[in-house]
Amino acid sequence: MQYLAIFASGGGSNALQIMEYFASHSSIKIALVVCNKADAGVLLHAQKHKIPSHIITPQCLQNPEKMLGLLGLHHINYIALAGFLKQIPAYLVQAFPEKIVNIHPALLPKYGGKGMYGMHVHQAVVANAETETGITIHLVDEVYDHGKHLLQKTCEVLATDTAADVAKKVLALEHAHFAPVLEKLILNP
Ligand code: GAR
């Protein structure tokens, strides 16, 4: 069995999709949800799916002993960042080389980097009158929004689209592709 942890900060619609996709998987189990916000919706999804969850402080995230202890306790060997808005510290990247996967709501390297998350990305895409945007699923390295791309998918941006319209299209792509990409990576590393 391969044990996947989901790190998330918000509503967790991607996390929920991943939980449902792997719910009765023969060789991949969602073993832990790690969240940095006590009131995040993702915690309710974890509870409903009977997945242990752990709320971490910024100090905890920077503490190798605590974090590696927590992940070790749950036998974690892969980590999916599903709307996790904190940078992953270098010690964690080194402990899980090519085993941490992030989803970004744009076509990196465009609209990446600090401050580019969630609706900020879609607002920038609309402000720049882009005609297409999309998603990037990538391995995590020590550089923010960097790392080998595993998949990019595009969608059209209409001149009449609002940032909320774009967010809807991008989320649909995320929900369709994140779990299968994780499955492929974990089963064929
Ligand atoms: C997703 O669109 C994800 O790509 C984005 O946050 C959203 C979380 O939605 N992540 C980033 O912007 C990371 N830079 P969700 O909580 O409904 O899954």
Side-chain angles (χ1 to χ4, degrees):
M1 193 56 98
Q2 301 292 317
Y3 297 93
L4 176 66
I6 301 173
F7 283 31
S9 301
S13 69
N14 277 289
L16 178 61
Q17 186 69 27
I18 295 167
M19 289 172 197
E20 287 172 352
Y21 187 90
F22 291 111
S24 50
H25 200 281
S26 57
S27 48
I28 300 170
K29 184 179 163 73
I30 310 302
L32 179 67
V33 168
V34 171
C35 180
N36 63 315
K37 292 227 173 82
D39 59 352
V42 69
L43 295 168
L44 297 176
H45 299 319
Q47 199 177 25
K48 196 174 140 218
H49 279 261
K50 300 189 168 47
I51 298 167
S53 59
H54 196 94
I55 298 163
I56 55 162
T57 60
Q59 293 77 13
C60 180
L61 182 60
Q62 299 305 328
N63 185 323
E65 208 177 310
K66 275 196 180 157
M67 283 302 292
L68 297 178
L70 171 68
L71 297 169
L73 195 66
H74 294 273
H75 312 289
I76 300 302
N77 31 24
Y78 283 88
I79 298 172
L81 308 181
F84 187 65
L85 303 182
K86 294 271 174 206
Q87 182 163 8
I88 296 299
Y91 77 82
L92 207 47
V93 176
Q94 283 150 20
F96 290 86
E98 310 211 321
K99 290 189 161 75
I100 307 179
V101 184
N102 183 44
I103 191 157
H104 187 80
L107 298 170
L108 290 173
K110 283 177 116 180
Y111 302 104
K114 279 258 179 255
M116 276 293 159
Y117 61 88
M119 286 304 286
H120 297 288
V121 173
H122 308 310
Q123 280 155 0
V125 163
V126 168
N128 288 340
E130 296 282 1
T131 55
E132 70 165 21
T133 186
I135 63 168
T136 305
I137 300 173
H138 67 95
L139 294 176
V140 171
D141 64 15
E142 276 108 329
V143 182
Y144 201 70
D145 285 340
H146 192 255
K148 183 184 164 198
H149 291 181
L150 300 176
L151 183 85
Q152 284 194 312
K153 286 280 172 187
T154 60
C155 59
E156 201 182 1
V157 180
L158 304 176
T160 50
D161 277 349
T162 62
D165 296 326
V166 175
K168 234 182 254 174
K169 294 180 195 181
V170 168
L171 260 188
L173 285 178
E174 295 187 334
H175 295 168
H177 296 288
F178 200 9
V181 167
L182 289 166
E183 183 181 35
K184 193 171 157 205
L185 174 77
I186 295 171
L187 299 183
N188 314 287

